[in-house]
């Protein structure tokens, strides 16, 4: 794919999108922020990345990013996942921005399915990739009808759905994509983040932007805004249960973990889903022996990690991430055209 | 530790790209020339232009080569390329009455003014494997041209043909399009919303994927719906494209565009005055793609249905949200991406509900949750 | 003056910088951000900061209206953005001199329940954003604001503020404000903010 590596060839614009497309996304983003949780339709032209593979998030990132930004891209919490690498490559190729795996060092984080474990700040923006922006799809297939339901704030069928869930299974069975009410007005699909991450949307310091490319919708949860998962008084919203589990790499007991089976022993193992956080904790535990990273504390107040967990056998995961500096170095050969294609 | 899916992302991607190129060339034959694809895989190129929504035969042929003949992949490449192109002008409306036809037939009438022109079609050839093509050489092709040269005569065809539906229209048999049909939108600049105006519908159909459009149209013809289509007219040919240019007094001619047009006539329907009329379903797509044009015409008509119980092909949301090959292929393929975070969440819920069930069974009764307070 | 095509505005990088400030301001109502001075030459009465916002957001796909109606503003913005002028009740962007009493404000489009995002964006010029000597003291509450925040504006006609409050009475219908002074101070008040006004003197 010839993303402007040759000055003689007609280059692509800074951040790939033409300025008209960026402006439209920018206008729609402002409306999304002004009406928290409301899904704003946008044109969403095709990108060289397939629909359903993060084109909504990409378009938002491309519309807001500037040369001074520091970018982090994650998929399932992991910086090294092939899809994250692919998206980061496209953004770096067309903008030349610096990249990082460290949540604290990033100014823009684009993510699929996770919100980083470490609390984000007000000078950062989290861009979430969304496959299905409509929370009411659980109960209504028609877009015309769900739009009306949002207009009238008629969420009764969603409540009934949850109620029937409880009657049938004794519990609300929604895993990820947990419907949440923003600013006591609009119901959103928070994208397929686990329930673990849902409380992080509530009264946050950070601006959350959601992009659904294939479905052509943008929405936002501004900072300091109520974002409440639907729950009943007697059937509370609950995050995933990792009681008694600890990460085999860093020993954390207060993070969202992936379970996997060890190929030789068949034993079930748990590892942090947020690879950047896990790496940092490991580095710190190596340099400071038993000291562990400052526990940021889950919003629901889970227990801080136990020191003895860190002495548990730590197995190395085979990783060969591209380093941030290596990627930045490769940029020098890349032409960044700062002029609009006319 | 065996789990390496997250490792070495960049290297894996680079290797995958190299492997793709390797598999394309490993047979060792002469690399296919784009011109050969453009000329000899004409219908595949046309389909890619139509579904990729860009009239650029060279780019479409190149995309087909790059995609090893995968039509949806090639259309995606073309569509993504299209999205980066500046849009300097909007063409003037094209009157397909001006079409220079290479093929033109009507299924509704035995004969029509201007006559039926069979043109290049496989409709009446037997679908036998043509083993003779195995030994095709440039010399044989040249010999073929010598033979066919005497049979074609440009002057035998009139420049333009009158339209079949114009005859019906003159007789007052056709329903006229309403005002809502006249609103123009641009689906590449504004997401469609429902109810959808006709121009947005036709634009969506024109870039739809042939296979899925055919299947939906077929469902309606077969019985899921109440549409009984006639092919009023099917035309294949070139239309001239013009633009207005600031510096020029008269419209500027850009060149010819090959299109296929289908006009589907369907049964009775009462117009505003309650007079029974015939209705028109319209299909037009880039290139020579008769099945797509017919399916488009049928779907344009099915979506006008006033029936209270809509069949799938009559539901505009159902049709328009599912015919785009780029969108449906992208989302269908995205399940190949890792989903272990969400799957973990699903497992958490499953284990919890299993546990609740077991507990309830031990107590010898079904789970009876208290009535949740709304 | 002010009728020329501006060649000093970088469509790519300057508009990106302005946009990020704007996004931050819209996400945090009441927060004052400062635009870097632009070397442009808008017509009499139109501030460089408002023109910069217009250059950032307007193009041939948008419509705008100027209040009060200044022919020179319309011409300048059409020429430099490609945006088209429309009636006040239909325009997506309204360029406003907030110091002038503008009863027409009440007809501005607030969107509808199906598409509240169609509610207009108001770009409002005032004498000063922030600072002590201002004659309008507002309190804002709502999304983006921890608790509540105070904001002072100089030179905003009280009648206009009341009209905005009227327009934004039925959330999610309403209009969103970008307010700026001639020094580049910018503050946003989206429709989600509840405004309590306290007019001095």
């Amino acid at each position: 794919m010839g993303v402007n590596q040759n000055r003689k060839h007609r280059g692509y614009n800074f951040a790939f999108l033409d300025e008209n497309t960026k402006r439209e996304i920018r206008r729609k983003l402002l409306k999304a922020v002004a009406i928290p949780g409301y899904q704003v339709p946008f044109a969403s032209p095709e990108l060289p990345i397939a629909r359903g593979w993060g084109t909504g998030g990409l378009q938002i990132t491309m519309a807001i990013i500037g040369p001074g930004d520091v970018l982090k891209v994650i998929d399932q919490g992991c910086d090294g996942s092939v899809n994250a690498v692919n998206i980061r490559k496209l953004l770096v190729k067309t903008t030349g921005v610096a990249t990082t795996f460290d949540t604290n060092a990033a100014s823009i984080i684009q993510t699929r399915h996770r919100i980083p474990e470490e609390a984000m700040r007000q000078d950062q923006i989290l861009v979430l990739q969304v496959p299905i922006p409509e929370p009411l799809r659980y109960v209504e297939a028609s877009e015309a009808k769900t739009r009306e339901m949002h207009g009238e704030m008629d969420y009764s069928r969603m409540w009934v759905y949850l109620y029937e869930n409880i009657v049938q299974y004794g519990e609300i069975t929604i895993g990820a994509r947990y419907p949440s009410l923003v600013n006591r007005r609009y119901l959103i699909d928070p994208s397929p983040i686990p329930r673990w991450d849902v409380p992080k949307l509530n009264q946050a310091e950070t601006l959350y932007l959601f992009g659904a490319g294939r479905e052509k919708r943008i929405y936002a949860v501004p900072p300091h805004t109520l974002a409440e998962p639907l729950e009943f008084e007697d059937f509370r919203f609950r995050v995933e249960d990792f009681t008694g589990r600890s990460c085999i790499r860093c020993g954390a007991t207060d993070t969202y973990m992936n379970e996997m089976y060890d190929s030789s022993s068949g034993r079930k193992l748990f590892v942090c889903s947020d690879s950047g956080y896990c790496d940092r904790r490991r580095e710190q535990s190596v340099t400071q022996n038993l000291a562990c990273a400052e526990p940021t504390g889950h919003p629901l107040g889970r227990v801080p990690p136990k020191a003895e967990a860190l002495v548990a056998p730590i197995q190395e995961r085979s990783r060969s991430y591209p380093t941030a500096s290596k990627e930045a170095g490769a940029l020098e050969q890349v032409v960044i055209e700062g002029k609009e294609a006319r | 530790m065996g789990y390496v899916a997250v490792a070495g992302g960049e290297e894996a991607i680079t290797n995958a790209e190299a492997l793709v190129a390797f598999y394309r060339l490993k047979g060792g034959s002469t690399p296919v020339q784009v011109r050969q694809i453009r000329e000899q895989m004409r219908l595949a190129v046309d389909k890619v232009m139509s579904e990729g929504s860009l009239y650029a035969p060279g780019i479409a042929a190149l995309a087909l080569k790059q995609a090893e003949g995968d039509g949806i992949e090639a259309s995606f490449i073309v569509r993504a390329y299209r999205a980066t192109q500046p849009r300097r002008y909007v063409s003037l409306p094209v009157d397909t009455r001006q079409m220079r036809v290479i093929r033109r037939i009507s299924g509704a009438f035995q004969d029509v003014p201007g006559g039926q022109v069979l043109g290049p079609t496989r409709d009446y050839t037997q679908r036998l494997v043509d083993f003779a093509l195995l030994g095709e050489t440039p010399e044989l092709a040249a010999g073929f041209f010598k033979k066919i040269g005497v049979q074609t005569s440009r002057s035998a065809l009139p420049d333009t043909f009158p339209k079949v539906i114009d005859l019906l229209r003159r007789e007052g048999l056709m329903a006229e399009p309403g005002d809502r049909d006249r609103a123009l939108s641009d689906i590449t600049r504004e997401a469609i919303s429902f109810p959808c105006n006709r121009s947005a519908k036709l634009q969506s159909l024109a870039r739809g994927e042939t296979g899925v459009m055919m299947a939906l149209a077929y469902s309606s013809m077969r019985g899921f719906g109440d549409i009984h289509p006639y092919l009023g007219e099917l035309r294949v040919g070139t239309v001239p494209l013009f633009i207005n240019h600031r510096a020029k007094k008269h419209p500027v001619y850009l060149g010819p565009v090959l299109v296929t047009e289908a006009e589907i006539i369907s049964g009775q329907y009462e117009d505003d005055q309650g007079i029974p009329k015939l209705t028109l379903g319209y299909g037009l797509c880039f290139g020579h793609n008769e099945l797509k044009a017919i399916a488009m015409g049928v779907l344009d008509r099915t979506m006008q249905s006033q029936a209270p119980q809509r069949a799938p092909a009559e539901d505009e949301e159902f049709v328009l949200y599912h015919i785009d090959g780029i969108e449906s292929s992208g989302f269908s393929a995205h399940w190949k991406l890792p989903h272990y975070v969400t799957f973990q969440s699903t497992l958490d819920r499953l284990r919890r509900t299993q546990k609740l069930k077991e507990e309830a069974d031990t107590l010898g009764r079904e789970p009876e949750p208290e009535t949740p307070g709304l | 003056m002010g009728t020329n095509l501006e060649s000093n505005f970088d469509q790519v990088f300057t508009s990106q910088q302005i946009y990020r400030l704007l996004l931050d301001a819209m996400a945090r109502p009441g927060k004052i951000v400062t635009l870097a001075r632009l070397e442009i030459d808008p017509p009499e009465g139109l501030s460089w900061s408002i023109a910069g916002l217009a250059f950032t957001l307007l193009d041939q796909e948008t419509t705008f209206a100027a209040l009060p109606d200044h022919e020179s503003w319309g011409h300048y913005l059409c020429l430099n953005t490609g945006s088209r002028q429309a009636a006040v009740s239909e325009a997506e962007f309204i360029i406003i001199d907030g110091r002038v009493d503008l009863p027409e404000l009440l007809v501005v489009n607030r969107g509808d329940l199906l598409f509240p995002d169609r509610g207009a964006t108001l770009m409002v010029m005032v004498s000063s954003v922030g600072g002590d000597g201002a004659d309008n003291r507002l309190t804002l509450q709502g999304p983006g604001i921890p608790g509540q925040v105070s904001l002072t504006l100089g030179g905003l006609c009280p009648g206009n503020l009341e009209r905005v409050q009227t327009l934004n009475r039925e959330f999610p219908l309403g209009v969103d404000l970008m307010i700026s002074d001639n020094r580049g101070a910018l503050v946003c008040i989206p429709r989600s903010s509840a405004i309590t006004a306290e007019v001095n003197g």
Side-chain angles (χ1 to χ4, degrees), chain A residues 13-14 19-20 22-31 33-36 38 40-41 63-67 69 107-108 121-123 125 147-148 151 183 185-186 205-207 209 222-225 338-340 342, chain C residues 10-13 15-17 19-20 22-24 26-28 31 54-62 81 92-93 113-121 142-146 171-172 174-176 178 190-192:
Chain A
N13 193 28
F14 176 81
E19 292 301 313
N20 269 330
K22 282 189 206 168
R23 262 192 301 271
E24 195 232 4
I25 298 167
R26 287 171 181 171
R27 291 192 295 263
K28 299 294 168 69
L29 277 172
L30 290 171
K31 290 298 174 194
V33 170
I35 315 168
Y38 165 74
V40 188
I64 66 174
I65 201 165
D69 274 306
S107 58
I108 297 175
R121 302 180 308 265
Q122 64 153 341
D123 58 335
I125 294 175
R147 187 155 282 273
E148 250 167 50
N183 187 29
R185 178 58 184 82
Y186 282 103
E205 288 291 325
T206 304
L207 171 62
L209 303 174
H224 308 291
T225 299
K339 290 217 174 80
E340 191 180 351
R342 280 185 199 281
Chain C
D10 187 329
Q11 288 279 349
V12 178
F13 295 111
S15 64
Q16 188 273 338
Q17 283 162 2
Y19 182 72
R20 278 293 275 282
L22 201 46
L23 182 62
D24 191 35
M26 192 62 88
R28 294 177 173 80
K31 176 177 177 179
F55 289 3
T56 300
L57 294 177
L58 270 58
D59 59 23
Q60 56 273 30
E61 290 174 15
T62 58
T81 66
E92 294 157 68
F93 290 88
L113 277 179
L114 293 185
F115 295 96
D117 57 303
R118 292 178 185 166
T121 301
I145 306 164
F171 186 83
V175 297
D176 309 302
M178 303 169 178
R191 67 190 76 181
S192 59

Side-chain angles (χ1 to χ4, degrees), chain A residues 46 51 53 76 112 142-144 163 171-172 175 192 195 216 232 234 238 240-241 256 259 318 320 342, chain B residues 1 6-8 10 79 83 88 317 327 330-331 338-342 344-345 348-349 351-352 371-373:
Chain A
E46 285 80 8
R51 293 289 201 202
W53 293 60
Q76 313 291 296
R112 174 171 172 264
S142 159
E143 165 66 20
Y163 174 81
E171 185 61 278
I172 294 170
R195 300 191 306 290
K216 306 180 179 70
F232 296 101
D234 42 357
R238 254 186 280 214
E240 291 80 357
D241 184 11
Y256 189 82
E259 70 179 65
S318 142
S320 59
R342 280 185 199 281
Chain B
M1 208 45 219
V6 296
E10 179 132 41
R79 186 83 73 84
R88 297 197 177 88
E317 261 200 71
E327 285 170 7
F331 201 52
H339 281 79
Y340 48 76
V341 164
T342 43
Q344 187 71 50
S345 189
D348 170 86
R349 291 288 79 184
R351 284 172 183 148
R352 166 99 184 138
T371 310

Side-chain angles (χ1 to χ4, degrees), chain B residues 244-281:
Chain B
N244 275 332
H245 192 281
R246 263 173 259 146
K248 300 274 169 26
K249 259 190 191 161
H250 302 290
V252 178
Y253 176 60
L254 290 185
V257 169
L258 181 74
V259 295
T260 306
E261 182 189 51
E263 286 173 333
I264 300 295
I265 298 169
S266 178
Q268 294 200 0
Y269 152 92
E270 285 179 7
D271 74 359
D272 302 344
Q273 274 88 48
I275 302 165
K277 293 275 172 89
L278 292 170
T279 49
L280 177 72

Side-chain angles (χ1 to χ4, degrees), chain C:
Chain C
M1 156 172 176
T3 51
N4 292 335
L5 198 60
E6 299 287 3
S7 56
N8 267 337
F9 186 84
D10 187 329
Q11 288 279 349
V12 178
F13 295 111
T14 309
S15 64
Q16 188 273 338
Q17 283 162 2
I18 294 177
Y19 182 72
R20 278 293 275 282
L21 291 169
L22 201 46
L23 182 62
D24 191 35
M26 192 62 88
R28 294 177 173 80
K31 176 177 177 179
I32 298 169
V33 298
T34 309
L35 308 180
R37 175 82 206 189
L38 298 173
E39 293 309 315
I40 54 174
D41 185 24
E44 184 72 35
L46 181 63
S47 73
W48 63 267
S49 57
I50 290 292
L53 295 180
F55 289 3
T56 300
L57 294 177
L58 270 58
D59 59 23
Q60 56 273 30
E61 290 174 15
T62 58
T63 55
F64 75 95
L67 275 181
D69 187 13
H70 286 275
E71 202 183 318
S72 60
W73 297 9
H75 178 76
Y76 176 78
L77 293 172
C78 285
L79 185 70
N80 283 290
T81 66
S83 184
R84 292 157 287 133
Q85 275 185 281
V88 174
S89 58
E90 282 164 22
E92 294 157 68
F93 290 88
I94 319 282
I95 317 289
I96 292 170
D97 186 341
R99 293 159 291 203
V100 182
D101 191 39
L102 299 164
E104 310 94 301
L105 265 185
L106 283 175
V107 306
V108 166
N109 184 7
R110 300 187 301 151
D112 56 47
L113 277 179
L114 293 185
F115 295 96
D117 57 303
R118 292 178 185 166
T121 301
L122 274 49
M123 296 177 169
V124 187
M125 261 178 286
V126 295
S127 309
S128 67
V129 172
D132 294 334
D135 44 3
N136 292 278
R137 183 174 294 276
L138 317 179
T139 306
L140 306 179
Q141 266 183 305
I145 306 164
Q148 58 179 47
V149 66
S150 313
L151 170 68
T152 56
L153 297 173
L156 178 63
C157 174
N160 293 341
L161 186 63
E162 279 165 30
R163 287 173 196 118
V164 167
Q165 286 172 306
T166 305
L167 286 169
N168 285 356
R169 199 170 282 158
E170 297 171 291
F171 186 83
L173 307 188
V175 297
D176 309 302
L177 275 65
M178 303 169 178
I179 306 169
S180 183
D181 64 21
N182 209 22
R183 293 186 305 276
L186 166 72
V187 70
C188 289
I189 308 180
R191 67 190 76 181
S192 59
S193 291
I195 311 173
T196 320
E198 184 190 309
V199 183
N200 297 336

Side-chain angles (χ1 to χ4, degrees), chain B residues 34 36 38 40 56 63 153 166 168 170 200 228 234 241 250 289:
Chain B
V34 171
Q36 287 181 293
R38 186 175 160 172
Q40 295 179 43
S153 153
D166 284 344
L168 299 170
R170 238 174 277 149
H228 305 282
L234 177 80
L241 218 58
H250 302 290
N289 190 345

